[in-house]
Amino acid sequence: MNSLYMPKDSLIHSLDPRTKMLFVVFVVASSFILNDPALQLVFLVALFPLVVMAKVVKPYLISIQFLLLFAVLIMTVHGIYNPIGVTPVFEIFGGLTFKYESMVYASVMSFRILVIGTAAVLFVMTTHPSDMASALVKWKVPHSFAFILLSTFQIIPIIAREAKIVMEAQQARCLDVKGSLIQRVKNLVPMFAPLFIITFMKVHQLSYVLECRAFSRKGEKTSLRETKIGSLDYTFLLGMLGVLAFEIYLKLFMMGSLHLTTDALLTYSLFGTWIVFGFMIIKFVVKQFQGKIGGAN
Amino acid sequence: MDITFKDVSYIYQANTPFEHRALSGVSFHIPSGSFVAVIGHTGSGKSTLLQHLNGLLRPTEGKVMIGDYQISAAEKTKDIKSLREKVGVVFQYPEHQLFEETVAKDIGFGPLNFNVEPKEIERRTGQAIKAVGLPEDLLQRSPFDLSGGQMRRVAIAGVLAMNPEVLVLDEPTAGLDPSGQREIMDMFSRQHKNNNLTTVLVTHSMEDALRYADHIIIMKDGEKYMEGAPLEVLVNKEELQRVQLDLPEVIQFLHQAEKQFGKAIPYRKQGIAQLAKELTAVVKGGESHG
Ligand SMILES: Nc1ncnc2c1ncn2[C@@H]1O[C@H](COP(=O)(O)OP(=O)(O)O)[C@@H](O)[C@H]1O
Ligand SMILES: [Mg+2]
């Protein structure tokens, strides 16, 4: 509940966190090597089977919606207004012209966001936070640093939850959220003073608990959750290496002769994001509408 | 004020991977002036239910009616501020909401937000601090210098000072010492009677539910599991055990006595002395007949 981790039983989950971290690095690198919309689209589609394998399709689609909003915005606004565009592709509403170069630029950027987002979501959803910390320790990251990272991940939702509780309590005493600017600034006090104190108390308690468990003891530490690199990880790593080599080969020797990106592809990508976006809006409106009907009865 | 829930469902973080249905299809009616106890296992949705009572949460489906106020997903409740003035909520661990420099200012924070006159605030503050059993010379101290139990009382005084018509209490005595628990509960009971309040209490103590409430609602996994008068609901051992609840000790004791002596003593909220008398009568009566 505290993190995005989705406990499931899958091949991806059983990979070592280190493999998955390298995977994220690999995807980021690839998204920059393949700075061509067509290739990135292929890459994005190729990542999807991994999502299916990790059994997180539904939560993935829900989380990726937000990135899609960015994509729609970038594709539309850049496509029309980015000054690097010269060759018109098509026109809407008279006067607003999508241009080839700007569309390429916008598509590359949006696909990159989606590709990296996919990898990040995949990593976070399939990796237990503690596993990540112990994997970091295996990479000779100091134990206390790994712990700071881990506890930061964990304390953010806790603080968010406390913030909600405090805010509700003050709202119940009718803290006025409207009013003049000075009033609003003053209103931050009832919100943040308790929150600060609670957080401070929590951290204080945590430090006691850690001391009681000999956290600052010197020497080698063992981990409750052991991670191991196995044959599956090696297969995966080799696969990544292969793909990476192929990408570099593509980039170095074939970019000149390969013209995968066409007007049609760009246009369809743009329309595609619009259509998905349209569905999201329709779903939202229907939800609101159902609420209205429900309220009328 | 009457409180009515009509098919209320609530989903936390709807449309995210963490969607969680905390209430489903809850309906009940609480007439004005009742003292209602809401009981249930941790996570059964009690706190979620309470947060609907002053419009902090709006039901995902269904609607909540409190007096003339309506809360539903579709429409914004008119005048939510005046609703919140009438419904005072004591949250779990209310001492966490203290923030002012002095106890007096913190108690006056609610009334001040409702534009109550300074004179009147001062009067109410004095009243509230007495009601929760703290000496008045604490008023000028910082709330953070107090003990945990005292902080709890200050926070409760802050809600009482709003002069609510409905008092909503989420485990108000959790973590206090036994005598403190008893004092605070008696204080709520007095407030309930003297000010004609409608009170909704979430508690884990079957004893408190039996002693103070005139209506019981038992929650299970976000649904209403049982509802009724305390002496109907809190005597049914099997049904209660199904939701990990025990009979109140008095009832357990009386059941045991019935087994032992073959004669039931009806429970009418008698005190311990009275019960002892009746039990003696049963035991002696049994001997004289045998
Ligand atoms: N802010 C929240 N976000 C998501 N889930 C929540 C939130 N608050 C409570 N829940 C979940 O809703 C359920 C009911 O919670 P709650 O009403 O606090 O139960 P109770 O007060 O009976 O212990 C629990 O399963 C809890 O995990
Ligand atoms: Mg609760």
Side-chain angles (χ1 to χ4, degrees), chain B residues 6-51:
Chain B
K6 237 170 119 183
D7 283 321
V8 173
S9 298
Y10 187 81
I11 301 176
Y12 277 110
Q13 313 191 21
N15 299 322
T16 71
F18 306 109
E19 197 167 276
H20 181 89
R21 184 175 273 264
L23 288 180
S24 42
V26 177
S27 299
F28 57 78
H29 175 74
I30 301 174
S32 188
S34 318
F35 196 124
V36 183
V38 181
I39 320 179
H41 201 247
T42 307
S44 58
K46 305 179 299 291
S47 299
T48 309
L49 191 148
L50 290 199
Q51 287 176 34

mmCIF file of all heavy atoms in Angstrom, chain B residues 6-51:
data_model
loop_
_atom_site.group_PDB
_atom_site.id
_atom_site.type_symbol
_atom_site.label_atom_id
_atom_site.label_comp_id
_atom_site.label_asym_id
_atom_site.label_seq_id
_atom_site.Cartn_x
_atom_site.Cartn_y
_atom_site.Cartn_z
ATOM 1 N N LYS B 6 -28.074 6.606 2.692
ATOM 2 C CA LYS B 6 -28.867 5.863 1.714
ATOM 3 C C LYS B 6 -27.929 5.228 0.706
ATOM 4 O O LYS B 6 -27.335 5.931 -0.109
ATOM 5 C CB LYS B 6 -29.841 6.816 1.009
ATOM 6 C CG LYS B 6 -31.295 6.376 1.152
ATOM 7 C CD LYS B 6 -32.219 7.458 0.673
ATOM 8 C CE LYS B 6 -33.060 6.976 -0.489
ATOM 9 N NZ LYS B 6 -33.912 8.062 -0.991
ATOM 10 N N ASP B 7 -27.764 3.914 0.802
ATOM 11 C CA ASP B 7 -26.938 3.160 -0.155
ATOM 12 C C ASP B 7 -25.583 3.802 -0.390
ATOM 13 O O ASP B 7 -25.163 3.970 -1.532
ATOM 14 C CB ASP B 7 -27.657 3.037 -1.509
ATOM 15 C CG ASP B 7 -28.732 1.989 -1.436
ATOM 16 O OD1 ASP B 7 -28.497 0.964 -0.791
ATOM 17 O OD2 ASP B 7 -29.823 2.213 -2.009
ATOM 18 N N VAL B 8 -24.911 4.165 0.671
ATOM 19 C CA VAL B 8 -23.661 4.901 0.521
ATOM 20 C C VAL B 8 -22.494 3.963 0.236
ATOM 21 O O VAL B 8 -22.274 2.990 0.953
ATOM 22 C CB VAL B 8 -23.361 5.719 1.790
ATOM 23 C CG1 VAL B 8 -21.982 6.339 1.704
ATOM 24 C CG2 VAL B 8 -24.414 6.791 1.974
ATOM 25 N N SER B 9 -21.778 4.230 -0.852
ATOM 26 C CA SER B 9 -20.531 3.528 -1.135
ATOM 27 C C SER B 9 -19.429 4.558 -1.239
ATOM 28 O O SER B 9 -19.667 5.674 -1.690
ATOM 29 C CB SER B 9 -20.624 2.765 -2.458
ATOM 30 O OG SER B 9 -21.634 1.809 -2.376
ATOM 31 N N TYR B 10 -18.239 4.175 -0.802
ATOM 32 C CA TYR B 10 -17.111 5.082 -0.988
ATOM 33 C C TYR B 10 -15.880 4.330 -1.483
ATOM 34 O O TYR B 10 -15.522 3.295 -0.936
ATOM 35 C CB TYR B 10 -16.769 5.829 0.303
ATOM 36 C CG TYR B 10 -15.720 6.867 0.041
ATOM 37 C CD1 TYR B 10 -16.077 8.083 -0.501
ATOM 38 C CD2 TYR B 10 -14.380 6.594 0.251
ATOM 39 C CE1 TYR B 10 -15.133 9.033 -0.805
ATOM 40 C CE2 TYR B 10 -13.413 7.540 -0.053
ATOM 41 C CZ TYR B 10 -13.799 8.751 -0.580
ATOM 42 O OH TYR B 10 -12.847 9.681 -0.901
ATOM 43 N N ILE B 11 -15.269 4.848 -2.519
ATOM 44 C CA ILE B 11 -14.068 4.223 -3.078
ATOM 45 C C ILE B 11 -12.905 5.186 -2.914
ATOM 46 O O ILE B 11 -12.972 6.328 -3.371
ATOM 47 C CB ILE B 11 -14.267 3.887 -4.567
ATOM 48 C CG1 ILE B 11 -15.452 2.943 -4.720
ATOM 49 C CG2 ILE B 11 -13.017 3.261 -5.150
ATOM 50 C CD1 ILE B 11 -15.804 2.632 -6.152
ATOM 51 N N TYR B 12 -11.849 4.727 -2.238
ATOM 52 C CA TYR B 12 -10.647 5.546 -2.108
ATOM 53 C C TYR B 12 -9.850 5.467 -3.398
ATOM 54 O O TYR B 12 -9.745 4.416 -4.008
ATOM 55 C CB TYR B 12 -9.767 5.038 -0.969
ATOM 56 C CG TYR B 12 -10.195 5.532 0.390
ATOM 57 C CD1 TYR B 12 -10.759 4.666 1.309
ATOM 58 C CD2 TYR B 12 -10.026 6.856 0.752
ATOM 59 C CE1 TYR B 12 -11.147 5.110 2.561
ATOM 60 C CE2 TYR B 12 -10.403 7.316 1.994
ATOM 61 C CZ TYR B 12 -10.958 6.440 2.899
ATOM 62 O OH TYR B 12 -11.340 6.893 4.122
ATOM 63 N N GLN B 13 -9.259 6.569 -3.793
ATOM 64 C CA GLN B 13 -8.367 6.636 -4.943
ATOM 65 C C GLN B 13 -8.970 5.947 -6.159
ATOM 66 O O GLN B 13 -8.340 5.090 -6.775
ATOM 67 C CB GLN B 13 -7.008 6.013 -4.599
ATOM 68 C CG GLN B 13 -6.504 6.515 -3.275
ATOM 69 C CD GLN B 13 -5.061 6.137 -3.016
ATOM 70 O OE1 GLN B 13 -4.301 5.848 -3.926
ATOM 71 N NE2 GLN B 13 -4.680 6.168 -1.769
ATOM 72 N N ALA B 14 -10.221 6.322 -6.466
ATOM 73 C CA ALA B 14 -10.900 5.732 -7.610
ATOM 74 C C ALA B 14 -10.091 5.984 -8.869
ATOM 75 O O ALA B 14 -9.399 6.991 -8.985
ATOM 76 C CB ALA B 14 -12.295 6.341 -7.742
ATOM 77 N N ASN B 15 -10.147 5.052 -9.808
ATOM 78 C CA ASN B 15 -9.441 5.157 -11.086
ATOM 79 C C ASN B 15 -7.933 5.202 -10.965
ATOM 80 O O ASN B 15 -7.270 5.821 -11.778
ATOM 81 C CB ASN B 15 -9.892 6.398 -11.860
ATOM 82 C CG ASN B 15 -11.361 6.346 -12.162
ATOM 83 O OD1 ASN B 15 -11.885 5.281 -12.467
ATOM 84 N ND2 ASN B 15 -12.014 7.472 -12.038
ATOM 85 N N THR B 16 -7.381 4.595 -9.934
ATOM 86 C CA THR B 16 -5.934 4.434 -9.866
ATOM 87 C C THR B 16 -5.696 2.955 -9.574
ATOM 88 O O THR B 16 -6.633 2.243 -9.249
ATOM 89 C CB THR B 16 -5.306 5.272 -8.737
ATOM 90 O OG1 THR B 16 -5.687 4.680 -7.498
ATOM 91 C CG2 THR B 16 -5.761 6.705 -8.770
ATOM 92 N N PRO B 17 -4.439 2.524 -9.660
ATOM 93 C CA PRO B 17 -4.189 1.108 -9.352
ATOM 94 C C PRO B 17 -4.565 0.752 -7.913
ATOM 95 O O PRO B 17 -4.674 -0.405 -7.569
ATOM 96 C CB PRO B 17 -2.684 0.959 -9.559
ATOM 97 C CG PRO B 17 -2.285 2.102 -10.405
ATOM 98 C CD PRO B 17 -3.248 3.203 -10.139
ATOM 99 N N PHE B 18 -4.727 1.769 -7.056
ATOM 100 C CA PHE B 18 -4.947 1.471 -5.635
ATOM 101 C C PHE B 18 -6.386 1.631 -5.226
ATOM 102 O O PHE B 18 -6.696 1.748 -4.049
ATOM 103 C CB PHE B 18 -4.065 2.369 -4.787
ATOM 104 C CG PHE B 18 -2.662 2.261 -5.206
ATOM 105 C CD1 PHE B 18 -2.046 3.289 -5.864
ATOM 106 C CD2 PHE B 18 -1.979 1.078 -5.000
ATOM 107 C CE1 PHE B 18 -0.752 3.154 -6.306
ATOM 108 C CE2 PHE B 18 -0.695 0.942 -5.430
ATOM 109 C CZ PHE B 18 -0.070 1.977 -6.084
ATOM 110 N N GLU B 19 -7.252 1.675 -6.222
ATOM 111 C CA GLU B 19 -8.673 1.774 -5.949
ATOM 112 C C GLU B 19 -9.061 0.847 -4.804
ATOM 113 O O GLU B 19 -8.692 -0.324 -4.789
ATOM 114 C CB GLU B 19 -9.391 1.355 -7.224
ATOM 115 C CG GLU B 19 -10.792 1.764 -7.285
ATOM 116 C CD GLU B 19 -11.334 1.586 -8.700
ATOM 117 O OE1 GLU B 19 -11.128 2.480 -9.515
ATOM 118 O OE2 GLU B 19 -11.943 0.546 -8.960
ATOM 119 N N HIS B 20 -9.776 1.401 -3.820
ATOM 120 C CA HIS B 20 -10.147 0.556 -2.680
ATOM 121 C C HIS B 20 -11.555 0.908 -2.218
ATOM 122 O O HIS B 20 -11.833 2.052 -1.882
ATOM 123 C CB HIS B 20 -9.154 0.758 -1.540
ATOM 124 C CG HIS B 20 -9.454 -0.083 -0.358
ATOM 125 N ND1 HIS B 20 -8.952 -1.353 -0.201
ATOM 126 C CD2 HIS B 20 -10.248 0.129 0.708
ATOM 127 C CE1 HIS B 20 -9.402 -1.872 0.920
ATOM 128 N NE2 HIS B 20 -10.192 -0.993 1.502
ATOM 129 N N ARG B 21 -12.422 -0.082 -2.236
ATOM 130 C CA ARG B 21 -13.811 0.159 -1.834
ATOM 131 C C ARG B 21 -13.907 0.044 -0.319
ATOM 132 O O ARG B 21 -13.792 -1.046 0.233
ATOM 133 C CB ARG B 21 -14.714 -0.855 -2.525
ATOM 134 C CG ARG B 21 -16.196 -0.637 -2.269
ATOM 135 C CD ARG B 21 -17.001 -1.613 -3.093
ATOM 136 N NE ARG B 21 -17.240 -1.071 -4.413
ATOM 137 C CZ ARG B 21 -18.363 -0.414 -4.743
ATOM 138 N NH1 ARG B 21 -19.299 -0.251 -3.859
ATOM 139 N NH2 ARG B 21 -18.533 0.045 -5.954
ATOM 140 N N ALA B 22 -14.078 1.177 0.357
ATOM 141 C CA ALA B 22 -14.083 1.155 1.819
ATOM 142 C C ALA B 22 -15.490 1.068 2.390
ATOM 143 O O ALA B 22 -15.668 0.626 3.522
ATOM 144 C CB ALA B 22 -13.384 2.397 2.361
ATOM 145 N N LEU B 23 -16.491 1.489 1.626
ATOM 146 C CA LEU B 23 -17.879 1.350 2.061
ATOM 147 C C LEU B 23 -18.671 0.829 0.884
ATOM 148 O O LEU B 23 -18.452 1.267 -0.242
ATOM 149 C CB LEU B 23 -18.473 2.699 2.478
ATOM 150 C CG LEU B 23 -18.011 3.351 3.783
ATOM 151 C CD1 LEU B 23 -18.749 4.665 3.971
ATOM 152 C CD2 LEU B 23 -18.231 2.442 4.965
ATOM 153 N N SER B 24 -19.593 -0.120 1.124
ATOM 154 C CA SER B 24 -20.475 -0.472 0.018
ATOM 155 C C SER B 24 -21.912 -0.646 0.491
ATOM 156 O O SER B 24 -22.201 -1.423 1.390
ATOM 157 C CB SER B 24 -19.958 -1.707 -0.723
ATOM 158 O OG SER B 24 -19.499 -2.664 0.178
ATOM 159 N N GLY B 25 -22.759 0.133 -0.130
ATOM 160 C CA GLY B 25 -24.201 0.047 0.093
ATOM 161 C C GLY B 25 -24.639 0.156 1.539
ATOM 162 O O GLY B 25 -25.448 -0.637 1.991
ATOM 163 N N VAL B 26 -24.122 1.135 2.245
ATOM 164 C CA VAL B 26 -24.489 1.283 3.655
ATOM 165 C C VAL B 26 -25.721 2.183 3.796
ATOM 166 O O VAL B 26 -25.741 3.291 3.279
ATOM 167 C CB VAL B 26 -23.319 1.899 4.458
ATOM 168 C CG1 VAL B 26 -23.734 2.117 5.907
ATOM 169 C CG2 VAL B 26 -22.106 0.999 4.384
ATOM 170 N N SER B 27 -26.745 1.676 4.470
ATOM 171 C CA SER B 27 -27.956 2.457 4.721
ATOM 172 C C SER B 27 -28.321 2.352 6.190
ATOM 173 O O SER B 27 -28.248 1.271 6.756
ATOM 174 C CB SER B 27 -29.146 1.916 3.923
ATOM 175 O OG SER B 27 -28.891 1.993 2.558
ATOM 176 N N PHE B 28 -28.686 3.472 6.784
ATOM 177 C CA PHE B 28 -29.256 3.445 8.133
ATOM 178 C C PHE B 28 -29.861 4.799 8.447
ATOM 179 O O PHE B 28 -29.661 5.777 7.720
ATOM 180 C CB PHE B 28 -28.214 3.045 9.185
ATOM 181 C CG PHE B 28 -27.004 3.925 9.221
ATOM 182 C CD1 PHE B 28 -27.036 5.166 9.838
ATOM 183 C CD2 PHE B 28 -25.810 3.496 8.620
ATOM 184 C CE1 PHE B 28 -25.916 5.963 9.872
ATOM 185 C CE2 PHE B 28 -24.686 4.294 8.643
ATOM 186 C CZ PHE B 28 -24.732 5.530 9.270
ATOM 187 N N HIS B 29 -30.601 4.827 9.531
ATOM 188 C CA HIS B 29 -31.223 6.081 9.934
ATOM 189 C C HIS B 29 -30.974 6.281 11.421
ATOM 190 O O HIS B 29 -31.183 5.372 12.211
ATOM 191 C CB HIS B 29 -32.715 6.044 9.642
ATOM 192 C CG HIS B 29 -33.426 7.266 10.144
ATOM 193 N ND1 HIS B 29 -33.323 8.489 9.513
ATOM 194 C CD2 HIS B 29 -34.204 7.462 11.220
ATOM 195 C CE1 HIS B 29 -34.029 9.379 10.185
ATOM 196 N NE2 HIS B 29 -34.568 8.786 11.230
ATOM 197 N N ILE B 30 -30.489 7.467 11.785
ATOM 198 C CA ILE B 30 -30.254 7.785 13.191
ATOM 199 C C ILE B 30 -31.157 8.960 13.562
ATOM 200 O O ILE B 30 -30.967 10.066 13.056
ATOM 201 C CB ILE B 30 -28.778 8.184 13.428
ATOM 202 C CG1 ILE B 30 -27.845 7.054 13.026
ATOM 203 C CG2 ILE B 30 -28.569 8.552 14.894
ATOM 204 C CD1 ILE B 30 -26.385 7.439 13.091
ATOM 205 N N PRO B 31 -32.158 8.733 14.413
ATOM 206 C CA PRO B 31 -33.028 9.844 14.778
ATOM 207 C C PRO B 31 -32.270 10.853 15.630
ATOM 208 O O PRO B 31 -31.318 10.492 16.334
ATOM 209 C CB PRO B 31 -34.140 9.191 15.608
ATOM 210 C CG PRO B 31 -33.914 7.731 15.544
ATOM 211 C CD PRO B 31 -32.518 7.479 15.081
ATOM 212 N N SER B 32 -32.700 12.105 15.571
ATOM 213 C CA SER B 32 -32.070 13.165 16.347
ATOM 214 C C SER B 32 -32.078 12.796 17.828
ATOM 215 O O SER B 32 -33.041 12.235 18.332
ATOM 216 C CB SER B 32 -32.862 14.449 16.124
ATOM 217 O OG SER B 32 -32.187 15.522 16.713
ATOM 218 N N GLY B 33 -30.979 13.063 18.500
ATOM 219 C CA GLY B 33 -30.909 12.789 19.933
ATOM 220 C C GLY B 33 -30.414 11.406 20.305
ATOM 221 O O GLY B 33 -30.271 11.105 21.485
ATOM 222 N N SER B 34 -30.103 10.551 19.309
ATOM 223 C CA SER B 34 -29.620 9.204 19.647
ATOM 224 C C SER B 34 -28.157 9.238 20.036
ATOM 225 O O SER B 34 -27.418 10.154 19.677
ATOM 226 C CB SER B 34 -29.735 8.249 18.463
ATOM 227 O OG SER B 34 -30.926 8.427 17.791
ATOM 228 N N PHE B 35 -27.744 8.209 20.746
ATOM 229 C CA PHE B 35 -26.328 7.960 21.003
ATOM 230 C C PHE B 35 -26.004 6.645 20.305
ATOM 231 O O PHE B 35 -26.435 5.587 20.736
ATOM 232 C CB PHE B 35 -26.081 7.849 22.507
ATOM 233 C CG PHE B 35 -24.635 7.976 22.887
ATOM 234 C CD1 PHE B 35 -24.224 8.949 23.799
ATOM 235 C CD2 PHE B 35 -23.674 7.137 22.331
ATOM 236 C CE1 PHE B 35 -22.886 9.080 24.153
ATOM 237 C CE2 PHE B 35 -22.338 7.259 22.680
ATOM 238 C CZ PHE B 35 -21.943 8.230 23.597
ATOM 239 N N VAL B 36 -25.278 6.757 19.200
ATOM 240 C CA VAL B 36 -25.030 5.580 18.376
ATOM 241 C C VAL B 36 -23.592 5.129 18.528
ATOM 242 O O VAL B 36 -22.679 5.948 18.505
ATOM 243 C CB VAL B 36 -25.289 5.894 16.890
ATOM 244 C CG1 VAL B 36 -25.095 4.661 16.039
ATOM 245 C CG2 VAL B 36 -26.680 6.447 16.708
ATOM 246 N N ALA B 37 -23.387 3.832 18.700
ATOM 247 C CA ALA B 37 -22.024 3.300 18.700
ATOM 248 C C ALA B 37 -21.802 2.542 17.406
ATOM 249 O O ALA B 37 -22.635 1.735 17.000
ATOM 250 C CB ALA B 37 -21.817 2.384 19.893
ATOM 251 N N VAL B 38 -20.682 2.837 16.728
ATOM 252 C CA VAL B 38 -20.303 2.101 15.525
ATOM 253 C C VAL B 38 -19.143 1.193 15.906
ATOM 254 O O VAL B 38 -18.114 1.665 16.398
ATOM 255 C CB VAL B 38 -19.884 3.049 14.391
ATOM 256 C CG1 VAL B 38 -19.511 2.265 13.148
ATOM 257 C CG2 VAL B 38 -20.996 4.031 14.078
ATOM 258 N N ILE B 39 -19.320 -0.094 15.721
ATOM 259 C CA ILE B 39 -18.287 -1.056 16.110
ATOM 260 C C ILE B 39 -17.857 -1.834 14.881
ATOM 261 O O ILE B 39 -18.620 -1.974 13.935
ATOM 262 C CB ILE B 39 -18.835 -2.057 17.157
ATOM 263 C CG1 ILE B 39 -19.725 -1.344 18.166
ATOM 264 C CG2 ILE B 39 -17.716 -2.753 17.890
ATOM 265 C CD1 ILE B 39 -20.308 -2.277 19.187
ATOM 266 N N GLY B 40 -16.653 -2.349 14.911
ATOM 267 C CA GLY B 40 -16.197 -3.169 13.793
ATOM 268 C C GLY B 40 -14.707 -3.389 13.884
ATOM 269 O O GLY B 40 -13.998 -2.651 14.569
ATOM 270 N N HIS B 41 -14.246 -4.409 13.170
ATOM 271 C CA HIS B 41 -12.830 -4.732 13.138
ATOM 272 C C HIS B 41 -12.058 -3.580 12.500
ATOM 273 O O HIS B 41 -12.632 -2.795 11.761
ATOM 274 C CB HIS B 41 -12.684 -6.002 12.311
ATOM 275 C CG HIS B 41 -11.423 -6.724 12.568
ATOM 276 N ND1 HIS B 41 -10.439 -6.854 11.626
ATOM 277 C CD2 HIS B 41 -10.984 -7.357 13.664
ATOM 278 C CE1 HIS B 41 -9.444 -7.532 12.152
ATOM 279 N NE2 HIS B 41 -9.741 -7.856 13.373
ATOM 280 N N THR B 42 -10.772 -3.456 12.773
ATOM 281 C CA THR B 42 -9.940 -2.439 12.131
ATOM 282 C C THR B 42 -10.014 -2.602 10.611
ATOM 283 O O THR B 42 -9.897 -3.716 10.121
ATOM 284 C CB THR B 42 -8.482 -2.594 12.580
ATOM 285 O OG1 THR B 42 -8.465 -2.604 13.992
ATOM 286 C CG2 THR B 42 -7.640 -1.452 12.077
ATOM 287 N N GLY B 43 -10.225 -1.491 9.927
ATOM 288 C CA GLY B 43 -10.302 -1.551 8.467
ATOM 289 C C GLY B 43 -11.691 -1.844 7.946
ATOM 290 O O GLY B 43 -11.867 -2.014 6.744
ATOM 291 N N SER B 44 -12.680 -1.888 8.834
ATOM 292 C CA SER B 44 -14.032 -2.226 8.366
ATOM 293 C C SER B 44 -14.762 -0.997 7.826
ATOM 294 O O SER B 44 -15.876 -1.103 7.356
ATOM 295 C CB SER B 44 -14.832 -2.863 9.500
ATOM 296 O OG SER B 44 -14.906 -1.983 10.598
ATOM 297 N N GLY B 45 -14.130 0.171 7.889
ATOM 298 C CA GLY B 45 -14.722 1.353 7.253
ATOM 299 C C GLY B 45 -15.381 2.324 8.212
ATOM 300 O O GLY B 45 -16.095 3.227 7.785
ATOM 301 N N LYS B 46 -15.097 2.189 9.501
ATOM 302 C CA LYS B 46 -15.756 3.060 10.480
ATOM 303 C C LYS B 46 -15.335 4.516 10.292
ATOM 304 O O LYS B 46 -16.176 5.407 10.226
ATOM 305 C CB LYS B 46 -15.405 2.600 11.910
ATOM 306 C CG LYS B 46 -15.718 1.148 12.182
ATOM 307 C CD LYS B 46 -15.343 0.736 13.581
ATOM 308 C CE LYS B 46 -13.870 0.868 13.923
ATOM 309 N NZ LYS B 46 -12.949 -0.057 13.265
ATOM 310 N N SER B 47 -14.022 4.754 10.219
ATOM 311 C CA SER B 47 -13.554 6.140 10.085
ATOM 312 C C SER B 47 -14.040 6.745 8.774
ATOM 313 O O SER B 47 -14.400 7.923 8.721
ATOM 314 C CB SER B 47 -12.030 6.196 10.132
ATOM 315 O OG SER B 47 -11.573 5.702 11.360
ATOM 316 N N THR B 48 -14.041 5.938 7.725
ATOM 317 C CA THR B 48 -14.533 6.423 6.439
ATOM 318 C C THR B 48 -15.983 6.866 6.566
ATOM 319 O O THR B 48 -16.377 7.918 6.067
ATOM 320 C CB THR B 48 -14.421 5.304 5.389
ATOM 321 O OG1 THR B 48 -13.097 4.781 5.419
ATOM 322 C CG2 THR B 48 -14.749 5.814 4.014
ATOM 323 N N LEU B 49 -16.759 6.054 7.271
ATOM 324 C CA LEU B 49 -18.163 6.387 7.484
ATOM 325 C C LEU B 49 -18.297 7.730 8.200
ATOM 326 O O LEU B 49 -19.065 8.598 7.793
ATOM 327 C CB LEU B 49 -18.791 5.259 8.300
ATOM 328 C CG LEU B 49 -20.303 5.208 8.453
ATOM 329 C CD1 LEU B 49 -20.741 3.762 8.562
ATOM 330 C CD2 LEU B 49 -20.760 5.947 9.666
ATOM 331 N N LEU B 50 -17.502 7.909 9.256
ATOM 332 C CA LEU B 50 -17.595 9.148 10.035
ATOM 333 C C LEU B 50 -17.272 10.374 9.188
ATOM 334 O O LEU B 50 -17.859 11.434 9.379
ATOM 335 C CB LEU B 50 -16.633 9.110 11.224
ATOM 336 C CG LEU B 50 -16.951 8.154 12.355
ATOM 337 C CD1 LEU B 50 -16.196 8.571 13.602
ATOM 338 C CD2 LEU B 50 -18.427 8.092 12.642
ATOM 339 N N GLN B 51 -16.301 10.217 8.290
ATOM 340 C CA GLN B 51 -15.879 11.388 7.524
ATOM 341 C C GLN B 51 -16.955 11.872 6.564
ATOM 342 O O GLN B 51 -16.845 12.963 6.001
ATOM 343 C CB GLN B 51 -14.592 11.084 6.771
ATOM 344 C CG GLN B 51 -13.427 11.028 7.753
ATOM 345 C CD GLN B 51 -12.145 10.635 7.072
ATOM 346 O OE1 GLN B 51 -11.931 10.981 5.927
ATOM 347 N NE2 GLN B 51 -11.314 9.909 7.768
#
